[in-house]
């Protein structure tokens, strides 16, 4: 089955700096790669996603890149703000969805 | 559109009792729903795939006789934790793919189960 690895587990940046979170997946059949932000006790909130026929997608300060050959994808957050502090999960899916272990991002003012 | 609800939002039960969690798609039909479990400070782990009108598919290591899943209609899936024990205490979340897509999943708000 699909196995998703996510790094780093914790990330601390200064406000205004960029943050990058990386994930790898094992199943080449996976074709959908979402990123979620989750607050404690809440459901995951989709922040950006990418399908396997696209290499890059951007939405304001957030971008995702996908390298299908290497089976890895990354989340890039630019101009980070304190409110970006949260736990972020990557996931890979062809039908059912498998999640990475999560990254706790802290943006220091 | 594509709203998924769960009930209850939290529940406390005594060890040895059973508890049922409902997952509903409010404005779309879901022939498939997924059930996840999330322990504190951990990721979401897929437990099972719930299929309307047929048996659920369980992930390796998940006891199908302990976590009973019923998907009796196109808008409702239920997860029953039987003979609950303290180690079953967790955050249970369901999801469903939106109508017309097999990509984006819509998540319920989750159910916090505490077994005393």
């Amino acid at each position: 089955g699909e196995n998703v690895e996510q790094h780093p587990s914790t990330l601390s940046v200064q406000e205004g700096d960029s943050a990058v979170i990386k994930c790898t997946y094992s199943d080449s059949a996976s074709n959908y790669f979402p990123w979620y932000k989750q607050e404690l006790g809440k459901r995951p909130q989709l922040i950006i996603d990418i399908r396997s026929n696209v290499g890059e997608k951007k939405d304001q300060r957030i971008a995702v890149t996908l390298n299908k050959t290497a089976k890895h994808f990354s989340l890039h957050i630019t101009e980070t703000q304190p409110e970006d502090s949260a736990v972020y999960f990557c996931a890979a899916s062809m039908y059912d969805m498998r999640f990475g272990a999560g990254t706790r991002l802290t943006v220091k003012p | 559109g594509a709203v998924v609800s769960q009930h209850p939002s939290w529940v406390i039960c005594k060890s040895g009792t059973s508890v049922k969690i409902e997952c509903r798609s409010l404005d779309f039909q879901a022939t498939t729903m997924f059930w996840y479990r999330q322990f504190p400070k951990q990721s979401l782990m897929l437990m099972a795939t719930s299929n309307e009108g047929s048996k659920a598919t369980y992930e390796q290591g998940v006891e199908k006789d302990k976590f009973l899943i019923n998907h009796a209609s196109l808008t409702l899936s239920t997860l029953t934790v039987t003979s609950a024990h303290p180690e079953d205490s967790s955050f249970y979340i369901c999801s469903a793919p939106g109508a017309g897509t097999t990509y984006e999943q819509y998540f319920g708000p989750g159910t916090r189960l505490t077994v005393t």
Side-chain angles (χ1 to χ4, degrees):
Chain A
E2 175 66 274
N3 181 49
V4 181
E5 295 191 356
Q6 182 173 346
H7 300 280
S9 57
T10 61
L11 179 60
S12 182
V13 300
Q14 286 294 137
E15 181 178 0
D17 288 349
S18 295
V20 180
I21 304 171
K22 298 182 178 182
C23 288
T24 61
Y25 62 100
S26 62
D27 190 347
S28 57
S30 290
N31 58 6
Y32 177 62
F33 306 92
W35 286 88
Y36 295 93
K37 180 179 181 181
Q38 189 182 30
E39 298 179 12
L40 189 63
K42 305 282 188 180
R43 77 186 89 192
Q45 176 190 358
L46 179 68
I47 57 172
I48 196 167
D49 57 9
I50 192 168
R51 298 184 186 182
S52 60
N53 59 347
V54 177
E56 184 174 356
K57 183 177 179 181
K58 188 174 182 179
D59 183 5
Q60 299 184 343
R61 298 186 297 110
I62 297 174
V64 57
T65 59
L66 171 66
N67 183 325
K68 283 171 48 181
T69 303
K71 295 205 216 48
H72 65 69
F73 56 113
S74 301
L75 176 71
H76 304 253
I77 305 174
T78 59
E79 301 172 25
T80 53
Q81 302 165 3
E83 49 266 38
D84 294 328
S85 296
V87 178
Y88 292 83
F89 291 99
C90 64
S93 171
M94 184 187 73
Y95 175 62
D96 51 27
M97 192 170 287
R98 311 296 171 138
F99 286 79
T103 297
R104 177 169 296 280
L105 173 64
T106 302
V107 181
K108 294 183 282 187
Chain B
V3 178
V4 175
S5 70
Q6 275 183 249
H7 179 82
S9 56
W10 60 270
V11 58
I12 301 173
C13 70
K14 292 188 176 181
S15 186
T17 63
S18 296
V19 61
K20 180 186 289 187
I21 302 169
E22 295 184 346
C23 177
R24 292 182 186 273
S25 55
L26 298 186
D27 51 2
F28 67 103
Q29 294 182 334
T31 56
T32 299
M33 291 183 175
F34 301 98
W35 286 95
Y36 296 86
R37 179 169 54 182
Q38 186 176 32
F39 292 111
K41 297 187 177 181
Q42 293 189 24
S43 185
L44 287 80
M45 298 299 296
L46 180 66
M47 298 176 66
T49 301
S50 173
N51 303 298
E52 188 268 333
S54 64
K55 290 183 178 180
T57 304
Y58 291 82
E59 294 299 303
Q60 191 173 7
V62 177
E63 300 173 57
K64 62 180 182 181
D65 295 330
K66 180 173 182 62
F67 299 98
L68 302 180
I69 291 173
N70 185 282
H71 196 149
S73 79
L74 289 172
T75 59
L76 174 64
S77 174
T78 61
L79 169 68
T80 300
V81 183
T82 63
S83 186
H85 291 284
E87 57 264 31
D88 298 321
S89 298
S90 188
F91 192 51
Y92 292 86
I93 307 177
C94 67
S95 74
T101 178
T102 57
Y103 293 103
E104 186 171 357
Q105 295 280 335
Y106 295 93
F107 289 87
T111 297
R112 171 74 57 192
L113 169 64
T114 302
V115 185
T116 62

